[in-house]
């Protein structure tokens, strides 16, 4: 039964602290071995009774996010309604804090929050497992946005094993310039591999060192274990990112990497005070459009209020 009052859910951004990309598969995706970390930057999705579907988007980057069926939230609503056999009726609003096309899984967070909120609005009572199945149909990162915390991802990123790593790590996220298209970054990686400019990805490095480092709670250990195969193609597509990475290192980050397919720079710091200092330094450096201090792990998509 449809609830009469609006329902709100929120879901976090993610950083891939380890992202090893295998060769291109016949289905157009790449085999991954990745360690996802959910961080404390959230989008919220509010849904209420409606006649058919409608969507509005507010907040960070709202002008570049489509408010129609191209949006993953719209597709999440159609998918859940279809699978549960209920009419797809809802007025939906996304309030964005996660920058779009930044390598932070903002669109995936919106889809995961929408699944949780609509499940409550429509009373469809889907299990977490059912929702994870729907999430995987929506995108490779959506199951993680639902799960949150820390997880090892395999397949195209949608197959998850939760990792117990409760010690928080502190990060400063720097968003520079325009967004990057995920397919374009993967395609650039294939091009660099075909040209022999980067390793071909047949031997995926193990994720255990980064998992052990996350569990240790030692920032220096984690800094030494960070790695992202999509960093090289993000840098060839966006050469000025080199300056952004260097700016974060010079300002005192313990470790830096590009988040996912970029262009966000994720700078690891020792503690909350260092995060505050680095945020101020990077905000004043003139390299980044937006700078945010975050920490992780945090839970995945949840109802709020
Ligand atoms: O799963 P998602 O829709 O987020 O993926 C967007 C695009 O990113 C895919 O169409 C593909 O080009 C690329 N991708 C990939 N390998 C993955 C995940 C994504 O090549 N494991």
């Amino acid at each position: 039964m449809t609830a009469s009052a609006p329902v709100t859910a929120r879901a976090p951004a993610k950083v891939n602290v380890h992202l090893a990309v295998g060769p291109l598969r016949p289905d157009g995706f790449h085999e991954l071995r990745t360690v996802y970390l959910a961080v404390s930057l959230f989008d919220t999705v509010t849904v209420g009774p409606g006649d058919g579907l409608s969507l509005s988007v507010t907040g960070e980057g709202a002008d570049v996010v489509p408010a129609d069926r191209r949006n993953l939230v719209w597709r999440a609503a159609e998918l859940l309604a279809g699978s549960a056999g209920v009419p797809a009726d809802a007025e939906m609003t996304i309030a964005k804090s996660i920058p779009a096309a930044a390598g932070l899984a903002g669109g995936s967070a919106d889809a995961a929050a929408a699944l949780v909120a609509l499940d409550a609005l429509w009373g469809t009572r889907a299990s977490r497992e059912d929702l994870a199945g729907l999430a995987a149909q929506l995108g490779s990162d959506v199951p993680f946005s639902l799960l949150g915390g820390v997880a090892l991802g395999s397949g195209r990123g949608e197959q998850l094993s939760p990792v117990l790593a409760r010690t928080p790590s502190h990060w400063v996220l720097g968003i520079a310039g325009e967004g990057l298209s995920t397919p374009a970054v993967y395609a650039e990686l294939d091009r660099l591999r075909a040209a022999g400019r980067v390793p071909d990805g047949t031997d995926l490095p193990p994720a255990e060192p980064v998992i052990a480092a996350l569990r240790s709670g030692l920032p220096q250990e984690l800094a030494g274990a960070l790695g992202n195969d999509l960093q090289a193609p993000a840098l060839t597509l966006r050469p000025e990112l080199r300056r952004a990475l260097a700016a974060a290192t010079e300002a005192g980050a313990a470790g830096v990497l590009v988040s996912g397919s970029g262009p966000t720079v994720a700078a690891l710091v020792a503690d909350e005070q260092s995060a505050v200092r680095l945020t101020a330094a990077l905000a004043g450096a003139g390299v980044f459009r937006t700078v945010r201090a975050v920490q992780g792990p945090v839970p995945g998509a949840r109802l709020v209020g």
Side-chain angles (χ1 to χ4, degrees):
M1 209 182 61
T2 300
S4 51
V7 177
T8 298
R10 72 174 193 178
K14 61 82 186 156
V15 171
N16 302 82
V17 291
H18 171 92
L19 179 49
V21 181
L24 182 62
R25 308 191 314 201
D27 66 359
F29 289 88
H30 294 75
E31 193 66 22
L32 299 187
R33 188 179 290 154
T34 187
V35 178
Y36 291 105
L37 172 70
V39 295
S40 56
L41 180 62
F42 301 91
D43 278 0
T44 65
V45 174
T46 299
V47 299
D51 184 11
L53 293 176
S54 63
L55 177 62
S56 57
V57 184
T58 64
E60 171 83 35
D63 49 328
V64 296
V65 177
D68 54 29
R69 56 176 6 103
R70 287 170 298 167
N71 194 299
L72 223 42
V73 160
W74 194 292
R75 286 164 43 206
E78 288 183 332
L79 195 61
L80 178 62
S83 88
V86 300
D89 289 331
E91 223 177 85
M92 309 181 287
T93 306
I94 309 172
K96 292 201 66 65
S97 297
I98 308 172
L104 294 169
S108 302
D110 300 346
L115 286 175
V116 169
L118 289 167
D119 178 53
L121 179 76
W122 291 337
T124 40
R125 295 171 175 270
S127 65
R128 275 271 153 177
E129 212 177 349
D130 292 341
L131 290 182
L134 299 178
Q137 293 179 51
L138 291 166
S140 306
D141 290 338
V142 185
F144 179 72
S145 302
L146 201 58
L147 181 69
V150 180
L152 180 62
S154 57
R156 58 186 169 88
E158 89 289 13
Q159 293 165 24
L160 299 175
S161 311
V163 170
L164 269 184
R166 292 207 186 86
T167 319
S169 55
H170 298 270
W171 301 81
V172 177
L173 305 178
I175 296 99
E178 298 293 299
L180 270 174
S181 142
T182 302
V185 176
Y186 275 102
E188 179 66 10
L189 175 64
D190 294 338
R191 202 186 62 78
L192 293 176
R193 284 180 167 168
R197 288 172 56 191
V198 296
D200 65 10
T202 41
D203 283 323
L204 288 183
E208 280 67 27
V210 76
I211 291 173
L214 267 173
R215 284 199 174 123
S216 77
L218 298 170
Q220 286 306 337
E221 198 172 313
L222 181 55
L226 300 173
N228 178 5
D229 285 348
L230 293 180
Q231 182 158 313
L235 284 170
T236 55
L237 291 175
R238 199 53 75 69
E240 59 272 28
L241 267 180
R242 269 182 213 289
R243 216 177 114 224
L245 288 166
T249 305
E250 283 157 21
V256 291
L257 87 171
V258 167
S259 176
S261 54
T264 297
V265 168
L268 176 69
V269 290
D271 50 35
E272 212 168 334
Q273 290 88 322
S274 311
V276 172
R277 273 200 301 275
L278 188 66
T279 304
L282 292 183
V287 184
F288 297 104
R289 177 162 53 84
T290 309
V291 183
R292 292 264 186 284
V294 298
Q295 52 117 358
V298 296
R302 291 282 181 285
L303 292 175
V304 291

